[in-house]
Amino acid sequence: MSDGLFDAVLAAGPVAAQVGDRAWVQAMLDFEGALAAASAAAGVVPSEAAAAIQNCCYADDYDITELGRQAVGIGNPAGPLVRALTARVAGDAAGYVHLGATSQDVGDTAAMLVTHRALAVLDDDLRACAAQLAHLAEIHADTVQAGRSLLQQGPPVTFGLTAAGWLGGLATARDRLDDIRRHRLAVQFGGAVGTLASLGDNGIAVLSELARHLGLAEPALPWHTERGRIVEIAGALGQICAAVAKIVGDITLLAQTEVAEVHEQGPAGTGGSSTMPHKRNPVAAVLAAGSAVQAPGLVAALLGAAAHEHQRAAGSWHAEWRPYIELLRTTGSAVHWLRISLDRLRVDPQRMRANLDLTGGLVLAENVVTGLVSTSNGEIGRHTAGDAVAQCCQAALAGAGSLADLLAADSVVGKYLDREQIERLLDPALYLGSARKFIERALDDWREKL
């Protein structure tokens, strides 16, 4: 983890180390070493020269700060790194460093390597979060909770269904990102303008070997100015952050003092306030939200930079670097904090039921209407039944009595429903529809993805 003042909060988790300066330098050196080996395999470079180059491709041997200073001369850090690498390689082998490549080949392939490594550790956190959500969905399949529409109570759901919904969004986003990691991270190798002319007839052979050595996909042609891969990655990371933001947004709402259906239980001292000793803030969820909310702007910046002119862009490539790194970092931080929030999450089924009972059964009015129409055997229609139940609801809201009493006393409702039937229709645990089946489907879908 970096030593920056805000990094422990906004650059948390294992992804940050995979996208730091040293990781990028190592990825660029990995490209240069693999290029030498690929060129040797294609018969372009002597194998001894390739080995000599590979022996000099360790980031710890280079002054990263100095490389950054020198980057302004050529406009990117790849050029100074190639010079430094060439200086370290002994004898004639130095003449084979970077053969056929251009700076953008180094930078773009390094981006793919960094991304592959970052997504691997990100996936560990994603899988852990999904497993936690699957567990919550399973154990709370029958924990009745108020459904909420426009922040107002609606018919009941279960907390298991809520967790299954969270799982569905995260699993779908993870599935998309996993597909990109496996199939869309491709080597970049095209030389000055995408022709590999300096390699004569050996360009494609070296490209194929390079992809094999790096474990990246081999593209049909160089993608210097076709930035579809960057856009896909950005969109997938944005989708991950959207899924995280949904979950932690719900957690923070459910943890409000007035709701109190969940809370985070962390180590002593977490979730407190500098001025309010009584506070029990869901701090991990808050930090996940703080990370995830940055994603849309970063995705937009990468989309805005995606139009690259001609064969090599003048500025658009450079514009990608910082938002790309930050998007990887902030996504890693968001998922890291989500994992911690779910580890700390405590559910209060009693409070969920108590909150649902606050309306005195009003949220079950729809069920009463359905039951009334059904019991009347068609004697009254849905509109008539709805009007009768609505009048009872308005009277209950006005303080005229309990909804159950008012329904039982109503001339229309009472004619077809007795008190026991009304009580059953007002029981939220008996009006859950296909909630359990949906939970099972979500769990089956997740297990299939695994």
Side-chain angles (χ1 to χ4, degrees):
M1 184 174 292
S2 173
D3 296 326
L5 180 62
F6 300 104
D7 288 350
V9 171
L10 297 176
V15 171
Q18 299 295 329
V19 301
D21 291 347
R22 187 165 300 280
W24 276 88
V25 171
Q26 186 58 61
M28 289 192 285
L29 289 168
D30 289 342
F31 169 85
E32 294 294 348
L35 175 59
S39 298
V44 178
V45 170
S47 57
E48 297 82 2
I53 294 169
Q54 288 179 297
N55 287 336
C56 295
C57 290
Y58 298 98
D60 288 343
D61 295 335
Y62 295 84
D63 186 338
I64 296 175
T65 301
E66 183 59 27
L67 292 174
R69 291 195 188 100
Q70 294 180 13
V72 297
I74 190 175
N76 67 75
L81 180 61
V82 171
R83 286 183 173 273
L85 171 60
T86 303
R88 293 187 69 86
V89 177
D92 294 341
Y96 295 104
V97 172
H98 197 62
L99 186 64
T102 192
S103 295
Q104 191 171 349
D105 292 333
V106 184
D108 279 346
T109 301
M112 296 295 100
L113 289 171
V114 164
T115 301
H116 193 277
R117 294 160 186 172
L119 295 190
V121 296
L122 177 65
D123 194 59
D124 290 339
D125 274 348
L126 285 170
R127 288 166 68 99
C129 290
Q132 292 166 318
L133 292 173
H135 179 65
L136 287 171
E138 196 164 24
I139 66 173
H140 289 288
D142 297 317
T143 300
V144 181
Q145 179 190 32
R148 292 178 170 93
S149 172
L150 281 69
L151 299 181
Q152 305 296 309
Q153 283 199 18
V157 295
T158 65
F159 185 68
L161 184 63
T162 297
W166 295 344
L167 172 63
L170 196 69
T172 298
R174 178 212 168 248
D175 198 40
R176 181 184 177 199
L177 201 61
D178 187 59
D179 182 67
I180 287 174
R181 180 166 66 98
R182 294 178 185 277
H183 304 296
R184 292 292 291 156
L185 302 183
V187 69
Q188 174 77 285
F189 188 52
V193 290
T195 64
L196 290 177
S198 64
L199 292 177
D201 294 332
N202 297 304
I204 301 300
V206 175
L207 169 63
S208 298
E209 286 293 328
L210 180 59
R212 186 178 68 82
H213 274 79
L214 292 174
L216 296 173
E218 179 185 341
L221 72 168
W223 45 278
H224 291 130
T225 56
E226 195 291 287
R227 309 307 283 178
R229 284 179 172 80
I230 300 299
V231 168
E232 284 183 65
I233 295 164
L237 292 170
Q239 187 175 350
I240 290 287
C241 285
V244 172
K246 157 62 179 170
I247 297 168
V248 296
D250 283 354
I251 288 173
T252 53
L253 287 172
L254 294 173
Q256 290 182 105
T257 305
E258 296 82 356
V259 181
E261 294 182 0
V262 303
H263 70 274
E264 287 183 3
Q265 186 172 309
T270 58
S273 165
S274 62
T275 59
M276 294 173 280
H278 70 283
K279 292 289 288 297
R280 186 168 65 175
N281 296 315
V283 65
V286 169
L287 298 183
S291 297
V293 76
Q294 298 176 65
L298 295 168
V299 173
L302 290 167
L303 288 172
H308 289 210
E309 61 275 9
H310 299 305
Q311 282 69 49
R312 297 285 297 284
S316 295
W317 179 51
H318 304 74
E320 291 176 353
W321 301 344
R322 189 176 294 277
Y324 191 80
I325 294 169
E326 287 304 316
L327 182 56
L328 283 165
R329 191 181 351 249
T330 202
T331 304
S333 187
V335 175
H336 169 79
W337 285 118
L338 172 62
R339 182 175 182 175
I340 292 177
S341 179
L342 294 174
D343 276 338
R344 296 176 178 176
L345 196 67
R346 301 295 181 268
V347 180
D348 189 340
Q350 290 73 35
R351 183 59 180 249
M352 288 180 176
R353 180 59 190 253
N355 285 342
L356 188 55
D357 290 341
L358 286 174
T359 67
L362 288 169
V363 294
L364 277 301
E366 178 187 53
N367 195 29
V368 177
V369 172
T370 302
L372 182 57
V373 173
S374 175
T375 307
S376 73
N377 294 318
E379 291 185 24
I380 60 173
R382 178 164 291 276
H383 290 299
T384 301
D387 289 343
V389 173
Q391 289 179 1
C392 293
C393 289
Q394 293 300 319
L397 286 169
S402 73
L403 180 59
D405 289 340
L406 292 166
L407 289 168
D410 183 80
S411 60
V412 176
V413 179
K415 179 179 178 181
Y416 298 101
L417 299 174
D418 59 31
R419 183 56 183 257
E420 182 179 351
Q421 290 173 309
I422 291 171
E423 294 287 356
R424 285 183 59 81
L425 291 170
L426 293 178
D427 184 349
L430 301 178
Y431 192 59
L432 296 172
S434 299
R436 175 172 279 277
K437 291 182 179 179
F438 281 132
I439 293 169
E440 292 170 356
R441 285 159 62 95
L443 293 174
D444 288 344
D445 184 62
W446 165 241
R447 294 184 187 113
E448 183 179 339
K449 283 182 168 62
L450 285 177

